[in-house]
Amino acid sequence: MSEIHVDLSRDLCAARVSPLANHRCTMADVLRLMQVPNFDLEAAERVPATMRRLSPGDTLFHEGTHAETLYFVRGGTFKLTCTAEDGYEQVLGFADVRELLGQDALGVGEYPSTAVALDECSVYGVPMRDVLSLSQQLPAFNAVLHRAASLGLRRRAQLVDVLAAVSAEVRLARFLVQWSRRMGGMGLSTTRFHLRMCRRDIASYLGVAHATVSRSFGALADWGLLSVSNRDVEILGLAGLERLARSTRRNGEDAAEAPRLRGMTALGASVASPRLGPGAGKLHAA
Amino acid sequence: MSEIHVDLSRDLCAARVSPLANHRCTMADVLRLMQVPNFDLEAAERVPATMRRLSPGDTLFHEGTHAETLYFVRGGTFKLTCTAEDGYEQVLGFADVRELLGQDALGVGEYPSTAVALDECSVYGVPMRDVLSLSQQLPAFNAVLHRAASLGLRRRAQLVDVLAAVSAEVRLARFLVQWSRRMGGMGLSTTRFHLRMCRRDIASYLGVAHATVSRSFGALADWGLLSVSNRDVEILGLAGLERLARSTRRNGEDAAEAPRLRGMTALGASVASPRLGPGAGKLHAA
DNA sequence: CGGGACGTTGACTCAAATCAATAACCGTGG
DNA sequence: CCACGGTTATTGATTTGAGTCAACGTCCCG
């Protein structure tokens, strides 16, 4: 409700700054972005495409609207959601550089989800109705589409993987491991990063209440696996976090249970006094 | 553990009956199966493909093995799973006629999931390494692939939808509604059907304990929404079931119990007292 | 310096996991 | 035909993890 209001105002704001600013570019830019090794440069440059910038909170497309454009994320991070009719917003995932947005609309004609920019973003756009014919004309583009489809399917499997975990801590651990790998894949640090989404979004992605996300972060910090300050995360024990993430059904005890009731002396145990107010073992205290 | 043993023995058994029985056929058969309206028949008939039959329990491909073939389900139902290293098996979904199996392996070269036949099945197979070039040569095939990718993405979203539900009853309701629609899409009854999978598989798909699935079936039966005997389900109140499936976070009670049900009077609405004791509306009890 | 969104923490309650026993089902074979 | 083991399904008793509600602290932006 109030979120929708915010979205709209943000949209208007962005529209003022750059009113539907679709800069012209070509398919060659798109293929370069997608790191296609070699392709028919001349042909690609004859195919027009668009480029668009978005600010945090801007909506790239809304669930249910007619799908006119297939997008390629050039930079920034998007949040993909789908909204139940009672207003509950389920986060389906996050997309960053080189991911496709709107591919799941190819068959149906309207977007089944909403894409919202989480930070400064830019995308390339290709008209949806040209996609099929273009994929015939440009084999390189076709390959990109198929690879992206395969990757998209596995991205969704990741979400399933997270939601399938029993405990909230394990879900969060899996999410963080995924995020860490994603950061690594982009050449960034796998142990220190800034989460672009708010707790509520994480909670929705994990399928838990947002209060539980806070508690789980606290638990992971207590176990010495990470330190967290707001959206800045530093993973202290990546191996331990991965082990925890791997745990299923009640055998998570190997990785997690020991510290819980005991004073957790085994792990390094920098948790002198458990409740010292906000951030006993937190980052921002240092 | 024991399941693996069973799978292997079944595989061997099937291998005895029809040892790798890949019947020859052509791409034209595949395109006909996929209901492509018009295509280059001559060209399609020049492209070889294979057909294979499977019995219940047979494994079409194992997670992690080299992906040689893209499959098109010709008949029957498959279970898609992925197995954690500790042996826990997460059911990712079910596939029936006209769905693609192995498309998520296109980019990586090995299957990220396992496909097991739940009943008598048959599939067409197309060599994975030919898929890209074939999609260039046969626009109809290319269109099929893109449509399937889009549909596959939305199938996964369905699973997310189920796992995102708060209560076990709502999850089961969503699953049953999905299954009902799927049956309807195949021209079968939307209200009476036979589930091909065991409770354990349903539980894994729903992300709950298998005992909870039983209880949820019981609850739905108590509420007069369906009757169930083993794997045979009859939906008595499809509208009510859909309303229950739609409910989220805490307002599920509105949908499940008295208040909201008044909207759908025609159904009998025999939901007087929530606690009626076991087996109030069961089929086999009558 | 508010105001509003975001984040953390506590208390309470309840739905569901777990453990466990029983009962139905099914193919096999005496 | 029924007896038999194995798998699958239901149901009960008990415990606990996490949802909900609510209060408070924090950050940021106008």
Side-chain angles (χ1 to χ4, degrees):
Chain A
M1 316 306 160
S2 61
E3 310 172 26
I4 291 173
H5 175 64
V6 169
D7 282 346
L8 289 178
S9 66
R10 287 258 172 91
D11 277 357
L12 292 176
C13 174
R16 236 186 310 117
V17 174
S18 53
L20 271 186
N22 281 358
H23 300 75
R24 312 233 123 258
C25 63
T26 75
M27 179 63 75
D29 297 307
V30 177
L31 294 180
R32 265 191 294 268
L33 165 68
M34 301 304 285
Q35 302 180 326
V36 177
N38 41 21
F39 55 90
D40 184 344
L41 183 61
E42 285 199 17
E45 279 181 338
R46 278 196 303 274
V47 177
T50 57
M51 198 271 277
R52 188 173 151 197
R53 295 185 183 280
L54 298 97
S55 296
D58 289 351
T59 303
L60 183 58
F61 52 77
H62 268 294
E63 179 182 359
T65 57
H66 177 64
E68 291 179 334
T69 315
L70 178 66
Y71 293 101
F72 297 76
V73 180
R74 204 177 79 118
T77 308
F78 283 89
K79 172 179 78 168
L80 286 164
T81 65
C82 90
T83 311
E85 54 259 43
D86 72 337
Y88 177 73
E89 175 187 288
Q90 171 66 38
V91 174
L92 292 177
F94 306 95
D96 46 40
V97 62
R98 248 160 280 139
E99 293 197 66
L100 269 60
L101 295 175
Q103 195 172 22
D104 45 4
L106 255 182
V108 269
E110 52 185 51
Y111 298 109
S113 56
T114 301
V116 178
L118 290 181
D119 45 15
E120 293 296 330
C121 291
S122 67
V123 294
Y124 289 127
V126 174
M128 201 66 95
R129 66 175 169 284
D130 299 343
V131 166
L132 267 194
S133 61
L134 282 177
S135 74
Q136 289 302 135
Q137 291 160 30
L138 287 168
F141 184 58
N142 196 31
V144 161
L145 291 179
H146 284 122
R147 195 150 44 90
S150 162
L151 192 120
L153 283 169
R154 275 170 293 125
R155 271 263 188 277
R156 285 290 158 83
Q158 282 190 343
L159 172 51
V160 170
D161 185 59
V162 164
L163 290 172
V166 264
S167 82
E169 289 91 353
V170 173
R171 290 188 192 199
L172 181 58
R174 290 189 183 177
F175 168 70
L176 289 173
V177 167
Q178 284 175 15
W179 200 262
S180 167
R181 299 219 172 107
R182 187 184 278 225
M183 291 298 113
M186 290 165 56
L188 303 174
S189 166
T190 57
T191 53
R192 281 178 142 265
F193 43 79
H194 179 81
L195 298 172
R196 263 82 128 179
M197 70 294 293
C198 66
R199 290 287 188 272
R200 175 176 296 276
D201 290 337
I202 298 178
S204 172
Y205 185 81
L206 301 184
V208 300
H210 83 284
T212 304
V213 176
S214 269
R215 278 185 245 275
S216 299
F217 266 119
L220 265 50
D222 281 354
W223 300 338
L225 296 176
L226 53 81
S227 50
V228 53
S229 161
N230 252 338
R231 301 187 184 179
D232 290 306
V233 174
E234 175 171 17
I235 297 179
L236 300 174
L238 187 52
L241 196 69
E242 283 170 338
R243 182 165 37 247
L244 175 61
R246 242 176 277 128
S247 72
T248 55
R249 314 262 140 185
R250 275 304 102 180
N251 57 8
E253 299 149 18
D254 310 341
E257 196 78 72
R260 191 76 193 281
L261 289 182
R262 237 49 86 59
M264 71 147 284
T265 46
L267 271 175
S270 56
V271 201
S273 46
R275 295 282 164 254
L276 275 187
K282 302 303 185 55
L283 213 169
H284 72 290
Chain B
M1 322 300 168
S2 61
E3 311 171 23
I4 290 172
H5 176 63
V6 168
D7 282 346
L8 289 179
S9 65
R10 285 255 172 91
D11 278 357
L12 292 176
C13 174
R16 237 188 308 118
V17 174
S18 54
L20 271 186
N22 282 358
H23 301 75
R24 310 233 124 258
C25 64
T26 76
M27 178 64 73
D29 296 307
V30 177
L31 293 179
R32 266 192 294 268
L33 164 69
M34 300 305 285
Q35 301 179 328
V36 176
N38 41 21
F39 56 90
D40 185 344
L41 183 61
E42 284 201 18
E45 278 181 338
R46 276 197 303 273
V47 177
T50 56
M51 199 270 277
R52 186 172 154 197
R53 295 184 181 282
L54 299 94
S55 295
D58 289 352
T59 303
L60 183 59
F61 52 77
H62 268 295
E63 181 181 358
T65 56
H66 178 62
E68 291 179 336
T69 316
L70 178 66
Y71 293 101
F72 298 76
V73 179
R74 204 178 79 121
T77 308
F78 283 89
K79 174 179 78 167
L80 286 164
T81 64
C82 91
T83 311
E85 53 261 41
D86 71 338
Y88 177 72
E89 174 186 288
Q90 170 66 38
V91 174
L92 292 177
F94 306 95
D96 46 41
V97 62
R98 248 160 283 138
E99 292 197 69
L100 268 62
L101 295 175
Q103 196 173 21
D104 45 3
L106 252 183
V108 270
E110 51 184 51
Y111 298 110
S113 56
T114 301
V116 178
L118 288 180
D119 46 14
E120 293 296 330
C121 291
S122 66
V123 294
Y124 289 127
V126 175
M128 202 64 95
R129 67 175 168 283
D130 299 344
V131 166
L132 267 194
S133 60
L134 283 176
S135 74
Q136 290 301 136
Q137 291 159 31
L138 287 168
F141 184 57
N142 196 29
V144 161
L145 290 180
H146 283 122
R147 195 151 45 89
S150 162
L151 193 123
L153 282 169
R154 275 171 292 124
R155 270 261 188 279
R156 285 290 160 85
Q158 281 191 343
L159 172 51
V160 171
D161 185 59
V162 163
L163 290 173
V166 264
S167 83
E169 289 91 353
V170 173
R171 292 188 191 197
L172 181 58
R174 291 189 183 178
F175 168 70
L176 289 173
V177 167
Q178 285 175 14
W179 199 263
S180 167
R181 299 223 172 105
R182 186 184 280 226
M183 292 296 114
M186 290 165 55
L188 302 173
S189 167
T190 57
T191 53
R192 279 178 145 269
F193 43 79
H194 179 81
L195 298 172
R196 262 83 125 176
M197 70 294 294
C198 66
R199 290 287 187 272
R200 176 175 297 276
D201 289 338
I202 297 178
S204 171
Y205 185 81
L206 300 185
V208 299
H210 82 284
T212 304
V213 176
S214 268
R215 279 184 242 274
S216 298
F217 265 119
L220 266 50
D222 283 353
W223 298 339
L225 297 175
L226 54 81
S227 49
V228 53
S229 164
N230 247 341
R231 300 185 186 181
D232 290 306
V233 174
E234 176 170 18
I235 297 179
L236 301 174
L238 186 52
L241 197 68
E242 283 170 338
R243 187 165 6 253
L244 175 61
R246 243 177 276 128
S247 70
T248 55
R249 313 262 139 185
R250 266 302 107 176
N251 56 9
E253 291 151 23
D254 304 344
E257 295 172 44
R260 277 269 196 97
L261 266 185
R262 220 170 308 131
M264 39 155 274
T265 52
L267 279 173
S270 58
V271 204
S273 56
R275 301 268 167 260
L276 279 184
K282 298 300 191 57
L283 218 173
H284 69 288

